[in-house]
Every structure is written in structure tokens, then in C-alpha cells.
Amino acid sequence: MAVLLKSAPPRARRPACRHCGSPVPAAPGGDFCCPGCAYVHRLIEEHGFEAYYRIKDAVTAPAAAAVFEPRDYGWLAERQRAAEAAGGAPRLTLEVQGISCAACVWLIEAATRREPGMREVRADASAGSLEVAWSPGSFDAPAWAGRLQAFGYLVGPAGELAERLESAALGRRAGLCGAFALNVMLFTLPAYFGMSPDFAYAGVFRLLALLFATLSVLVGGSYFCSRALAALRAGATHVDQPIALGIAGAYAGSLLGWISGRPSLQYFDFVATFTLLMLAGRWAQVRAVERNRRRILRLQPLPPRYRLCAGGEVAREELRPGQHFQVAAGQAVPVESELLEAGADFSLASISGEPLPRPFERGQLVPAGAANVGRGPASLAARQGWGQSLLSQLIAPTRRRAASAAWLDRIVRGYVFGIIAAAAAAGLGWEIATGDAARAGAAAVAVLVVSCPCAIGLALPLADEIAIAGLRRRGVFVRESDLWHRLRRVRAVAFDKTGTLTLESPVLLNPEELRALAPEARAALAALVQGDRHPVGQALWEALLVAGGTIPLAGDVRETPGSGVTLGAWSLGKAGWADRGPAGEDTVLARDGAPIAHFRFCDAVRPDAREDIGRLCAAGFPVFILSGDHPAKVRALAAALGLPEANAHGGLSAEDKARWLAARAPHSALMLGDGANDTLAFREALCRGTPVVHRGILEAQADFYYLRRGIGGVRDLLAVGRAHARTQRMVVGYSLAYNLAAVGVAAAGRIGPLAAAILMPASSLLSLAIVTFGLRSANVTADAQALLHPQPGGTRGTA
């Protein structure tokens, strides 16, 4: 199927969100792209942190719905107690999700310094970490974490330290090699500027150049050589092989030249500079991906423990059939279990796609993965162990083998064999023609030196960095460096419904009812929904927080599962449950049975979803919906998005989604999902992404994630992927042309150390210029938005 992509004049730019800088959706929404941004912006102004907006990046990730969600920080309280019990000045190192720039560091540190008992705080944007020290007795770590969450920053247990990351090790290597390269140039340049070979210190200069070039090879060159040898032993082709060949060949020839006293064979400056440039390119490539990975907490939270009804706690792996245990509010049921209480509400959105919670009665089986959305714990009896649980199978970590571009593998293979053959032919030719072994060796070394694989070692990593940085400014974060190769093979896009095509929380259709409430009614409503896990309660709490200025009433809130909640004379729940009105779909706030307000909600589609899906279809990507929700609801959503009914598939289990992808779009689909029921489909998809990064389910398995309220991040990814592929072809084409010309001149004996020292950086600069030109659209939001403009004659149907 042909994929038609065409640039078009940019659309009119939409107003930017006052908090994050993202485009504000076309639907009326004021100055902010989402309620989260509106809430965080108001909070920043109320606390006097307006300086944040003067130093922040122009575009940052929108505030996620996680700023409103109740969150259990019990693990942090335990860490605080342990730190204080250890004696001395207690200190904790934590990871932070949401930190992205210097302004985030400033805001986190400024807010934390206001905490009682705080002695020291240090945030690190590059490592995504936070270190705090306090005086025992006055600091409340869980309360502090909740206040940071309100600003959009989630803290989690410290995982892998920054110094263990590959980019940190590469950075140290590059720093040392930079110093070695400068020293090599210091002792090599005098020869280029006319230093006589019989100068008293000429021999010392050459010896020092050899010494620092050797150190450069040992520190930096060994990284590429070890990886090239590992690939060779595995019988595979790797981009590090031509780099290792260039470093080893140039160093070996230079060492031979130093031993034989022939300056024409000494390329120590090339060896040191080339090694430094290759390390810099690799560091940029690795760091770009690691930075996006570190934005997500790796342990979020720690694996949950469950309280046994008979006393004590167990981890989910320790649960046995027949054990009675409790699932706290917000926790997921780890194994299929029987409900022991009169009634409880559980959300199945993560495992079946049902947007609204379902009430369960005593004796009913609650499936593994169902989340307790009640206000208190629910008691259950386990029917199976963790090993037999569907949830354990869905969230089991998987590691997919990194993909590689077949065409790039062929080029690397041809490059390695071609350069070796060219160097051998040049040396043999000069040996036959002149009988001068030294002259023949100089020609062979010159070929190895000028055949610079800068396009592979420097320009292509830079292309990755520019593309990743451009997407990051739009709220799209690439986690796997091999994603670019796979994007070229995408031929269809499959969306989950609930939480992916629709918003995570239902949308209040009549906010005027909320605004019209008297202060006492608002305070009662705030008390009824504060800490509520039910989607309707969360949506009302979110709206109250955005509006601000409401203090909840004090009192004991009681819950009737499946119906609503009460606080003294006040009630909130289904129409007709605790009020004197007729039954209906509305959620009613009542006092002494008299209705005060009727709230209407809907399962809202993400902003601009119809437009974005239309552009994907018109660009040649059939779009499908794979959902566990009721088929009629899925078909209705497809109709609203302009998709054929045949492309809407509802009532699918996790296994059904995976089987559908394997049968209908094998190794060619881009899958977007948000729940545990999408994990099996993720394993069948060619590429996979998620808009949700605070549940700890799919983000670790996703190739990318996007934090915008709409789904435009998918189009941006495909558009930038196309520009990235085009740029790669341009760079490789230039590299082939350069190497053919340079190798020919070197084989003719016309290139010496000075010419090589000039050609190599000049070639590198030109390849970098090609990358900058080719990916210029990745840095311009409007251009990237237009790259997937509809093309007349594009397909819009089934695959």
C-alpha cells in the first residue's frame, strides 16, 4: 500500500497554553490546553512562583491528569521513618517524574524550601532525581510529595543512578578524549606550520602525540572496537564496525609510521579527533533516549502489599488460593477473587475498556486487574495464586530485540568490505608499481583514514537527537532508538478506545451547574468527592480544584456501593437514589432529599481526534479501533470520528486484540493503548505508544509516549519519522559520494596527514549541515503539523 505524505502550507497557529505552551484545542477552553494546566498555573500564581514562567522552556509537557488523582505515599512515610531511625541528618534520594528543564528545578527547589524542617534540597533535571535533607520531627514527607504532585511532579523511589547510565559513561570517555585530542593537536600542529624534523624537541613532540593518541584509542576507541568485535563474533553487522575499522587502521598505520620514522604515515591527530567526534555523536544519541526514559518513574509505586483479614501483610506474589485479604482504595485486585462484602465498586477500564465502574455484590468473582474505586478497602477471598493470574501475564516485562534498518545494514556491510578491499588494492598497486613497501603502506593507510564514516558515527546520531528533541517540544517522547527504523514499515494505526481515543476522566457537560452552587453546597460537594476514586467523583473534584477557593465541609462521608455517597444531610449519586427526583443518568447533589444540582457527564473524545484521524487515513494509514468496551459504543465512536464501521471492533479481550493484530496487520501496525488489556497487543505490534504514564503498566513497554490532551502526537511522530528517514538517505548518499571521491584520491597517493586532517572535519561539518537542513521541520511545530496533510486519492478504508 502506498503511503502518501505531502507537505502543505501550515495551518493557522492556535493560541498557546499559558502554562505549557502547547496549542489550545479548537473547542472552547480558555487559555489552557487542559484542566491540569489551568490548575497548576493558578497554583503557581497563588504561591508567588511566577518567575517559573520567565525561565521555563517555550514548550513543556502539559500537566497530566495525575495532578488530581489520589495517590498512596505510604512507601515514602516508611522511607522517612527509616532515614530518621538511622541517626544523624536524615536524607532521601528520590526520582521525579515531570522534571524537564531548569525552571522545573527552580520550582521544585523553591516549593520544597518552604517545607517545615527542610535543610537542603537539590534537584537534577538531567538525571530526573531529587535529594532532600531535613531536621527530624517537623518534616512530613508524604504531605510534601502531595504538594509537589499538585504542581505536576510525581516522586518515586530511587532506581538506577545516573552514574550507571550509558550516557554518563560515554560522557566521561568523551571528556577524557577531548583532553587527549587537544594535546595531540598541540604537539602535531608545529609540524604542519614548518617545524624542522631535526628540531631538538621534534622527537619529543611526536612521542607525546603518539602517547595521547594511544590513550584516546584505549579510552574511546575501545568502546567501538569491543562492540564491533562482539557483533563480529555473533555474525552480525553493526554500525560500530566501520568506526572501529577507521580508528584501528589509522592508529596501526600511524604507529608503524612512528616506528619507521615516516611522518607521511602518522595520523595521530586524526585518530584522536575522529575518536572524540564519534563518542560525541554516540553520547548525543544515547542521552536523548535516556532522557525520555528517565521522565517516567521506573517503580511507581513499589510493588503493592495487601493486608490479610487475619492480620499481617503479603506481597501479591505471596497470595495463595483461599486467603482472605483487603484491597485498599485505588489498588488493583491482583488475582481473581470472590467479594466478601455486601457490595463494592470496581473499575474494569484497564482490563476491559469499560469507562464506568461496575458494582459487585457479595459472592461475585472480581477479575484480576479490577481497581477498587470505593472510598475504603474491599475484602476478598483469593481464588488463584499470582502465577495463574491474568494480571501477572499482562504486566510481565518483555524485552523485544532491537530492530535495525536492513538497508543501513547492507550499507555498513558494503562499506566495511569495500574499504578493506580498496586499501588492500591501493597498497598492492603501489607495491607492484614502485616496489616501495613504505609507499604502498602509506597509500593503504591514507585510504583507511579518508574513508571517514562520519555520516554513520556522527551525522546519524545527530539526526536522532534533533528528531527526538523536536518531538519532545510537542509532548512526544521517544524511548527506543530503533523506533525510527520500524516507523518506515508502519502501514496501519490501531487505537484502544477508553483513555486513548477518549479522555481518561468523563467530561462535565454543564459546568454552569457547578458555578451556580452556593458556597455551602460547593463545600459539601468538595467533601463528598475529595479523595474519591470514582471517575465521576474525580471529574467533579478536578473541576472544583480548577475553580479554586473551596474548603470542604468536615464530617464522615459514607458510601453506598453502586449508588453514591452521603455526608449528613448532603448526598451525591445516581438520580433517584437519595433525592426525591425520578431515576435517570444524571449525578445529583441533594440536601435532605431535595435536588440542588444535576450534573451530566459524557465519555469525551480527545480534542481534534476526528481531524487527526482523518489526516492519518488520508495519508494512507487505515485507522482501527480495538476495544474491550461494548461493540455498540465502539461503533458509535467510529461513526463520530468518520471511520467505517468495519474498522471498529468492540468487546475484545486482551488476547482478542493480539490475535486481531497478528492476523490482520502482522508486523505493520502502530498500536496505541493505555491499559493492561493492551499489553498483549503491544507485543504483536510493530510500534507501540501510550498517552498515559502514571499507571505503571504500559509506559515501560512503549516505544514512545505522548502527553498532549489530543492525539496529534501520533501524527507528529509519523511526520518527523518521515523527515528523519529522508535525512538519513541524504546523509548516506553524500557519504557514499564523498568516500568514492576521497578513496580515489587517496589511492592515487595525493593525500597526506595534513590533507586528511582538513578533509575529515570538513566532511563531518558538511554531513551535520545536511542533517540540520533535512530535519529543519522537526524544529517547527507548524511545518511538522503539515507534513501529514491529506493527499487527494489517499485511502480511507479497511486494510
Side-chain angles (χ1 to χ4, degrees):
M1 179 186 67
V3 179
L4 303 174
L5 294 161
K6 182 180 178 180
S7 296
R11 297 176 293 170
R13 181 167 297 189
R14 293 177 182 152
C17 175
R18 291 178 60 188
H19 174 67
C20 68
S22 300
V24 174
D31 297 327
F32 302 97
C33 65
C34 63
C37 284
Y39 172 62
V40 175
H41 182 272
R42 180 177 62 79
L43 208 61
I44 287 175
E45 288 189 334
E46 288 179 353
H47 286 76
F49 294 142
E50 294 91 343
Y52 168 82
Y53 293 109
R54 294 195 295 270
I55 58 178
K56 70 180 285 291
D57 291 346
V59 179
T60 57
V67 299
F68 303 111
E69 295 178 353
R71 198 169 182 83
D72 181 14
Y73 288 107
W75 62 268
L76 185 56
E78 294 180 5
R79 295 286 179 94
Q80 180 181 7
R81 286 192 293 269
E84 293 179 351
R91 181 180 298 269
L92 279 178
T93 300
L94 305 166
E95 289 189 355
V96 187
Q97 178 172 301
I99 186 170
S100 61
C101 63
C104 294
V105 171
W106 178 86
L107 179 58
I108 290 172
E109 292 183 348
T112 303
R113 289 193 187 98
R114 296 186 179 183
E115 294 293 320
M118 184 56 55
R119 295 177 53 252
E120 181 184 349
V121 55
R122 183 171 63 238
D124 186 342
S126 63
S129 64
L130 175 62
E131 186 176 357
V132 292
W134 65 93
S135 300
S138 53
F139 176 58
D140 186 343
W144 159 72
R147 285 187 279 273
L148 279 189
Q149 177 184 342
F151 285 107
Y153 305 106
L154 300 178
V155 299
E160 187 177 22
L161 298 177
E163 53 264 27
R164 295 180 184 174
L165 300 175
E166 185 180 359
S167 63
L170 284 171
R172 290 191 291 270
R173 287 178 186 258
L176 289 171
C177 287
F180 299 150
L182 289 175
N183 279 279
V184 171
M185 295 302 297
L186 175 67
F187 297 111
T188 304
L189 284 176
Y192 293 149
F193 286 104
M195 181 183 69
S196 173
D198 56 359
F199 176 65
Y201 295 105
V204 176
F205 282 9
R206 288 193 292 270
L207 176 61
L208 289 173
L210 165 64
L211 173 63
F212 286 111
T214 302
L215 291 174
S216 184
V217 170
L218 292 175
V219 172
S222 60
Y223 171 83
F224 298 102
C225 292
S226 62
R227 293 165 65 92
L229 288 174
L232 194 62
R233 284 194 294 267
T237 303
H238 195 276
V239 294
D240 286 336
Q241 289 169 340
I243 298 174
L245 177 64
I247 294 174
Y251 178 75
S254 301
L255 181 61
L256 178 62
W258 181 82
I259 294 173
S260 62
R262 296 181 64 92
S264 61
L265 281 175
Q266 297 176 24
Y267 295 89
F268 294 125
D269 50 346
F270 169 87
V271 171
T273 306
F274 178 67
T275 302
L276 172 62
L277 289 176
M278 295 303 99
L279 279 175
R282 185 59 53 83
W283 172 83
Q285 183 183 39
V286 171
R287 179 178 176 272
V289 173
E290 285 182 349
R291 181 180 179 184
N292 290 344
R293 288 177 178 170
R294 288 199 301 272
R295 288 184 60 91
I296 301 176
L297 298 179
R298 281 177 283 277
L299 300 175
Q300 185 182 286
L302 292 173
R305 298 184 65 82
Y306 298 88
R307 184 177 298 278
L308 294 175
C309 296
E313 289 185 344
V314 294
R316 60 191 181 190
E317 293 82 3
E318 299 169 346
L319 273 173
R320 299 291 181 267
Q323 280 186 311
H324 291 194
F325 66 101
Q326 290 185 334
V327 175
Q331 275 190 327
V333 178
V335 299
E336 184 181 69
S337 304
E338 177 186 343
L339 184 63
L340 300 177
E341 298 186 347
D345 290 341
F346 290 91
S347 171
L348 307 182
S350 181
I351 57 174
S352 70
E354 296 180 39
L356 293 179
R358 183 193 299 179
F360 286 77
E361 298 179 356
R362 187 192 305 273
Q364 281 189 291
L365 290 181
V366 181
N372 178 16
V373 295
R375 303 182 71 89
S379 298
L380 303 105
R383 284 294 190 90
Q384 59 184 186
W386 175 250
Q388 294 76 46
S389 169
L390 173 63
L391 183 62
S392 71
Q393 300 171 32
L394 293 180
I395 68 175
T398 58
R399 189 65 182 174
R400 182 164 54 186
R401 182 178 178 182
S404 61
W407 65 274
L408 187 58
D409 286 345
R410 290 194 295 270
I411 288 174
V412 169
R413 191 180 302 114
Y415 178 94
V416 171
F417 289 114
I419 292 306
I420 292 176
L428 182 61
W430 279 98
E431 175 66 25
I432 295 174
T434 65
D436 185 348
R439 186 71 186 87
V445 171
V447 169
L448 292 175
V449 168
V450 299
S451 58
C452 174
C454 289
I456 296 173
L458 184 61
L460 295 186
L462 178 66
D464 287 358
E465 164 67 15
I466 292 177
I468 290 173
L471 286 170
R472 188 163 54 234
R473 283 189 287 271
R474 294 180 195 89
V476 183
F477 301 85
V478 175
R479 296 186 67 256
E480 300 294 340
S481 58
D482 67 328
L483 174 64
W484 306 111
H485 308 317
R486 287 182 273 123
L487 280 176
R488 298 190 183 110
R489 309 202 304 272
V490 170
R491 294 296 180 267
V493 181
F495 286 92
D496 173 51
K497 172 185 170 285
T498 306
T500 303
L501 281 175
T502 63
L503 296 174
E504 291 184 77
S505 301
V507 172
L508 179 62
L509 294 177
N510 55 339
E512 64 277 1
E513 285 281 292
L514 188 64
R515 292 193 293 268
L517 289 177
E520 185 182 7
R522 290 172 63 90
L525 178 62
L528 289 167
V529 299
Q530 184 179 27
D532 198 347
R533 304 278 180 171
H534 194 284
V536 169
Q538 286 188 351
L540 286 171
W541 177 243
E542 178 179 316
L544 287 168
L545 285 178
V546 171
T550 301
I551 300 177
L553 287 179
D556 184 21
V557 177
R558 299 182 180 276
E559 179 182 19
T560 301
S563 298
V565 290
T566 58
L567 172 62
W570 294 93
S571 65
L572 178 72
K574 292 181 177 179
W577 163 63
D579 61 273
R580 292 188 288 270
E585 297 296 325
D586 291 354
T587 299
V588 178
L589 174 68
R591 182 173 187 177
D592 291 324
I596 303 296
H598 290 253
F599 302 111
R600 297 192 304 276
F601 295 87
C602 72
D603 192 18
V605 178
R606 288 185 177 269
D608 301 335
R610 181 183 177 94
E611 177 186 356
D612 290 328
I613 285 178
R615 288 178 174 268
L616 284 171
C617 292
F621 296 97
V623 174
F624 299 89
I625 304 176
L626 308 179
S627 175
D629 203 1
H630 194 280
K633 293 183 178 180
V634 179
R635 288 194 296 269
L637 176 62
L641 296 175
L643 289 174
E645 184 176 311
N647 289 29
H649 304 275
L652 302 181
S653 66
E655 294 86 351
D656 292 336
K657 290 185 180 184
R659 282 193 291 266
W660 189 96
L661 283 177
R664 296 293 301 277
H667 311 299
S668 66
L670 170 62
M671 176 69 192
L672 290 307
D674 74 311
N677 63 329
D678 297 313
T679 54
L680 299 183
F682 263 35
R683 297 170 193 176
E684 295 293 335
L686 175 64
C687 305
R688 47 208 186 177
T690 181
V692 178
V693 296
H694 55 273
R695 292 180 182 168
I697 297 175
L698 288 183
E699 49 265 39
Q701 301 182 34
D703 299 316
F704 68 96
Y705 59 96
Y706 53 101
L707 302 180
R708 284 154 52 169
R709 195 155 171 88
I711 63 170
V714 180
R715 286 198 302 114
D716 285 344
L717 177 72
L718 292 170
V720 174
R722 174 182 178 265
H724 182 275
R726 183 182 62 240
T727 302
Q728 275 196 333
R729 291 192 295 269
M730 293 168 58
V731 168
V732 171
Y734 159 74
S735 179
L736 290 175
Y738 162 81
N739 278 290
L740 287 174
V743 167
V745 175
R750 300 296 184 182
I751 291 183
L754 178 58
I758 296 173
L759 277 177
M760 189 271 291
S763 169
S764 300
L765 290 175
L766 187 53
S767 64
L768 297 183
I770 293 173
V771 168
T772 304
F773 172 80
L775 282 169
R776 64 193 185 284
S777 60
N779 290 308
V780 182
T781 302
D783 288 350
Q785 292 285 349
L787 279 173
L788 285 174
H789 187 72
Q791 171 84 357
T795 61
R796 186 185 178 89
T798 57

